[in-house]
Amino acid sequence: MPLLPKTSPFSRRTLLRGLGGSAVLGALAGCGVPAAYVAPGDRAATDRSTTERRLTWANWPLYIDTDDADPSRRPTLEAFEEETGISVAYVEEINDNDEFFGKISPSLMNHQPTDRDLIVISDWMCGRFVRLGWVQEMDRSHQPNVTQYLDPLLRSPAFDPGRAFTVPWQSGITGIAYNRRRLGREVRHVSDLWADDLKGRVTLLSGMDEAFALLMQGNGVDITDWTADDFHTMCDQVERQVARGQVRRFTGNDYIKDLSSGDVLACQAYSGDVIQLQADDPDIEFVVPEEGAELWSESLMIPNLARHKANAERLIDFYYRPEVAAELAAWVNYVCPVPAARDVLASSDDEETAALAEDPLIFPDAAMRERLAIARDIAAGERAEFAKRWNGIVGV
């Protein structure tokens, strides 16, 4: 079973920059223009899965296990192909949620196939696709492993109750990372970021969708049911901290460099990044604050008019076998959406691999799980207003 990846998979986790390069399409989706919506009866094409033993899968770079000796080989995917006889065209073409939305949305809004049977995007963007009716409901009779093994914490997000249209590929936590040795104390609360000894040594994430939930949780907000007032209260607070020089800057994944160098002592961070950082610097710690932290996913979806829907459903279910999920988790180091994979890793003869079963950033323990929540996503009618407010603070 492979050990830690040589490159952090979070290098591909990118941020929402306002309405980004897909401003027109984003505004169209955000406003729910009727012409863009596809009714349930118009989403399916004739499924060719029984006669065409193949499918096309679009994913992010560095987001699947590879062979250490030959990075062009993907052991779990090869195992699926050998077992089922279904060939998979695996395309690492997703580098940004908005960019990919802009790439395939013309086909979807014009009721044309995307030539992709399976895609993986962040849940806040999945919410946009679900609202527009651009994805097909999955047949759970083809997915007994998903039904049995999907983490209960991930089963029913607000944008897709019951996960009818989406299945988590991997999950993660947005929390706080800090250097305990350099800071000389613990960080336990979101409010600790505003302490005087951290002035000018704090970074926050620049992406609105990535940043807002944790900051609201610091104010005691239930992020599963937050309001516009909660959002603006949080923005008021961040504006005050920016004005007093508390926040060094807003970042994407480049907070990793700042934290490693010591320029920053505490920051908003992703759990998967910290696993990688800890391998080089054990003084860096990741905290799920006592007020809670955001649990998020990037999820598999079958777009409208996909020609190999049953094959795609079968592949999804394959990755929900605990032994397959364990092999993937050992490589990508995300929060595994299949808790049963923990026992598989724990039984490994390799000590480093077995140790991953005890890593709470891959398998959160009971105490941590109680503090995790999936945020209600930003609704279509809210996005333009909130993006304008947030981007004014960030300076986008």
Side-chain angles (χ1 to χ4, degrees):
M1 189 170 291
L3 298 178
L4 297 178
K6 296 179 176 62
T7 306
S8 170
F10 272 107
S11 61
R12 58 105 206 112
R13 181 168 171 79
T14 51
L15 307 173
L16 176 67
R17 300 174 181 88
L19 294 179
S22 57
V24 175
L25 294 170
L28 177 64
C31 295
V33 175
Y37 177 76
V38 178
D42 296 325
R43 298 175 190 175
T46 300
D47 194 346
R48 302 172 180 171
S49 293
T50 56
T51 57
E52 296 180 357
R53 309 293 289 168
R54 60 184 175 87
L55 67 98
T56 298
W57 179 8
N59 205 346
W60 302 73
L62 304 173
Y63 216 14
I64 197 170
D65 55 301
T66 60
D67 189 294
D68 288 340
D70 183 357
S72 68
R73 299 189 62 185
R74 304 179 177 98
T76 57
L77 197 55
E78 290 179 3
F80 171 80
E81 291 177 316
E82 183 176 353
E83 177 182 310
T84 64
I86 298 170
S87 63
V88 181
Y90 185 83
V91 186
E92 294 182 327
E93 64 170 328
I94 305 176
N95 295 293
D96 178 271
N97 285 290
D98 280 314
E99 178 185 57
F100 188 67
F101 177 87
K103 188 174 186 177
I104 69 173
S105 58
S107 296
L108 290 164
M109 71 173 59
N110 288 295
H111 306 265
Q112 298 172 349
T114 66
D115 298 323
R116 299 162 182 84
D117 302 293
L118 197 59
I119 62 176
V120 179
I121 53 179
S122 300
D123 271 358
W124 61 265
M125 181 61 82
C126 289
R128 184 183 295 183
F129 277 70
V130 171
R131 286 191 295 269
L132 286 166
W134 288 1
V135 290
Q136 299 184 61
E137 184 171 354
M138 295 190 200
D139 184 347
R140 290 288 183 257
S141 69
H142 295 164
Q143 298 176 320
N145 293 320
V146 174
T147 299
Q148 181 174 355
Y149 294 117
L150 174 58
D151 190 331
L153 285 179
L154 299 170
R155 285 182 180 266
S156 195
F159 73 89
D160 184 16
R163 288 282 184 183
F165 299 94
T166 64
V167 173
W169 171 240
Q170 294 292 285
S171 187
I173 303 166
T174 301
I176 297 172
Y178 74 105
N179 190 308
R180 183 170 182 174
R181 179 180 58 81
R182 286 177 168 151
L183 182 57
R185 64 174 175 85
E186 290 186 342
V187 171
R188 298 176 60 188
H189 304 274
V190 176
S191 61
D192 289 342
L193 294 174
W194 317 138
D196 289 341
D197 61 350
L198 280 172
K199 188 172 183 178
R201 310 292 292 277
V202 172
T203 60
L204 301 178
L205 293 170
S206 60
M208 176 175 65
D209 290 271
E210 285 77 11
F212 81 89
L214 180 73
L215 298 174
M216 282 187 190
Q217 286 169 304
N219 294 330
V221 173
D222 175 4
I223 61 169
T224 67
D225 190 30
W226 57 272
T227 67
D229 285 345
D230 295 326
F231 181 87
H232 288 297
T233 296
M234 177 271 295
C235 287
D236 290 343
Q237 181 183 51
V238 174
E239 281 182 328
R240 289 193 297 270
Q241 298 301 333
V242 170
R244 67 184 288 259
Q246 187 73 15
V247 178
R248 181 183 181 90
R249 67 190 185 103
F250 293 85
T251 74
N253 285 88
D254 45 339
Y255 72 82
I256 297 171
K257 178 182 66 177
D258 292 342
L259 188 62
S260 298
S261 69
D263 290 338
V264 162
L265 298 182
C267 59
Q268 274 190 307
Y270 304 124
S271 55
D273 279 344
V274 176
I275 292 176
Q276 302 297 320
L277 290 170
Q278 288 172 335
D280 297 321
D281 187 349
D283 291 321
I284 292 176
E285 297 193 13
F286 183 85
V287 177
V288 171
E290 293 191 8
E291 301 87 2
E294 182 190 13
L295 180 68
W296 47 262
S297 304
E298 282 159 337
S299 291
L300 298 142
M301 299 192 302
I302 300 173
N304 289 355
L305 305 182
R307 294 293 187 179
H308 308 97
K309 181 174 183 284
N311 290 345
E313 290 168 339
R314 189 170 180 182
L315 184 145
I316 293 168
D317 201 57
F318 175 82
Y319 275 96
Y320 267 72
R321 293 180 186 176
E323 63 274 16
V324 179
E327 187 167 354
L328 183 63
W331 202 90
V332 301
N333 299 161
Y334 275 65
V335 173
C336 181
V338 182
R342 181 180 182 275
D343 291 339
V344 178
L345 287 171
S347 66
S348 173
D349 292 334
D350 182 275
E351 290 185 6
E352 291 185 70
T353 300
L356 296 176
E358 304 304 320
D359 192 327
L361 302 188
I362 300 176
F363 298 98
D365 58 29
M368 184 181 291
R369 289 172 67 87
E370 289 180 359
R371 302 198 303 276
L372 298 176
I374 299 176
R376 171 181 80 75
D377 62 325
I378 297 174
E382 302 170 316
R383 181 164 291 277
E385 173 193 350
F386 291 171
K388 182 178 180 180
R389 178 78 196 273
W390 181 255
N391 291 340
I393 299 171
V394 173
V396 175

